[in-house]
Amino acid sequence: MTESVIDPGVLDRGHVRLTVRGSRATIVLDRPDQLNAQTPDTWKALREIGQHLAPEVRVVVVRGEGRSFSAGLDRRLFEAEEVDGAPGLMSLASRPVEQGDAEIAAFQQGFSWLRDPERVTIAAVQGHAIGAGFQLALACDMRVLTTDATLRMAETSLGLVPDLGGTLPLVRAVGYSRAADICLTGREVAAEEAARIGLANSVVEPDELEAATDRLVEAITRSPAGAVRETLALLSQAEEAEDPEQQFAAERAAQLRRLRELVGDSGGE
């Protein structure tokens, strides 16, 4: 499949741009006048991209246009019954539980594919990453932040919960106690702290964000695609292993698959 399969109307309605060059795809939240605030159309566009990216895409970079990565939910979602044809938050409460659950599950699919070990995902974060914006950054495997970036999980302070898949990667990155602090207080996490506690892989000056992201992409794509994919899968399941032997077994199986593929590439059996 190729980028041309993706419905451009879905991307336009979600204010999302997609560029694919070789093994790299770049997703841009393109609503800078609203600090890249997100709506259900944003999540539909992200889901569409995840379902139709070409297999040769190895690295996906997610960034925001303008001075913010994403300031979170479009405020209309808190006030209106519908926003651009999609249900507002409060209207979800009036739906049957099964219907509401299915609609939120569809929203989550815009984020969950970013954790698929088939490709490496990188969030290039400048300015604000609040709520849904923070969860989008957390959905990625790695995060490069600018020195002026701030992260904030605002949902609990608004009477809600983070429901776009952000709780698991947050706990994995910083541990339970820090995750509880970040979520329950709704405080801002500045870039320096984010790097110190494991939320950022690196912090750079704003005018260095693009170059730093490019260097990371280049470093990742120097390794064979199969080795990257298998390593990501091992890392993602490591914390869920019930005992060390379970992870040892997974490593053995992955290594044997790699060796067979390498032998096959060299013309052996």
Side-chain angles (χ1 to χ4, degrees):
M1 290 178 288
T2 65
E3 180 186 354
S4 61
V5 176
I6 299 173
D7 182 352
V10 172
L11 300 186
D12 289 343
R13 288 189 293 275
H15 299 280
V16 173
R17 297 200 322 266
L18 172 66
T19 303
V20 178
R21 292 191 176 93
S23 62
R24 170 178 173 166
T26 302
I27 298 171
V28 181
L29 304 185
D30 192 14
R31 204 181 175 203
D33 57 323
Q34 298 294 324
L35 300 181
N36 300 315
Q38 300 177 35
T39 69
D41 279 337
T42 310
W43 308 328
K44 185 176 181 180
L46 292 171
R47 183 173 74 245
E48 180 85 357
I49 292 170
Q51 291 173 342
H52 295 101
L53 270 182
E56 58 265 27
V57 172
R58 295 184 53 193
V59 181
V60 177
V61 175
V62 183
R63 66 176 184 85
E65 187 65 48
R67 61 189 179 92
S68 284
F69 181 75
S70 174
L73 294 180
D74 187 316
R75 286 291 175 174
R76 293 178 298 164
L77 289 167
F78 294 92
E79 303 159 358
E81 284 293 312
E82 285 193 348
V83 176
D84 302 330
L89 292 177
M90 295 306 116
S91 68
L92 286 173
S94 64
R95 284 164 159 71
V97 171
E98 296 81 3
Q99 183 182 352
D101 182 87
E103 290 180 349
I104 295 174
F107 300 159
Q108 292 171 332
Q109 289 170 10
F111 293 64
S112 59
W113 69 270
L114 291 161
R115 282 283 181 177
D116 188 330
E118 286 298 313
R119 51 183 63 91
V120 181
T121 54
I122 302 168
V125 180
Q126 81 281 9
H128 301 96
I130 301 172
F134 188 11
Q135 292 188 78
L136 181 58
L138 284 168
C140 295
D141 298 307
M142 303 180 190
R143 286 161 291 282
V144 180
L145 271 58
T146 59
T147 52
D148 64 348
T150 56
L151 311 175
R152 184 180 171 219
M153 198 70 85
E155 284 83 352
T156 306
S157 60
L158 295 171
L160 304 171
V161 300
D163 67 342
L164 295 170
T167 55
L168 179 59
L170 180 61
V171 171
R172 283 179 170 175
V174 305
Y176 170 80
S177 294
R178 281 200 176 106
D181 167 36
I182 290 167
C183 290
L184 301 186
T185 66
R187 67 179 181 86
E188 289 188 343
V189 178
E192 181 278 329
E193 181 185 359
R196 177 164 47 82
I197 66 177
L199 283 173
N201 293 81
S202 60
V203 176
V204 299
E205 293 298 326
D207 61 358
E208 281 290 307
L209 181 60
E210 184 174 355
T213 304
D214 289 346
R215 288 193 296 270
L216 183 55
V217 171
E218 290 167 6
I220 291 166
T221 53
R222 280 198 292 268
S223 297
V228 171
R229 180 179 62 250
E230 292 280 12
T231 301
L232 270 187
L234 286 170
L235 294 173
S236 67
Q237 72 182 42
E239 289 186 336
E240 299 170 4
E242 295 179 0
D243 58 61
E245 180 53 39
Q246 182 178 342
Q247 190 70 3
F248 289 154
E251 290 176 358
R252 294 194 299 272
Q255 192 72 295
L256 288 170
R257 286 192 295 271
R258 290 303 307 139
L259 290 169
R260 291 191 190 102
E261 185 170 339
L262 291 171
V263 169
D265 287 346
S266 65
E269 293 298 324

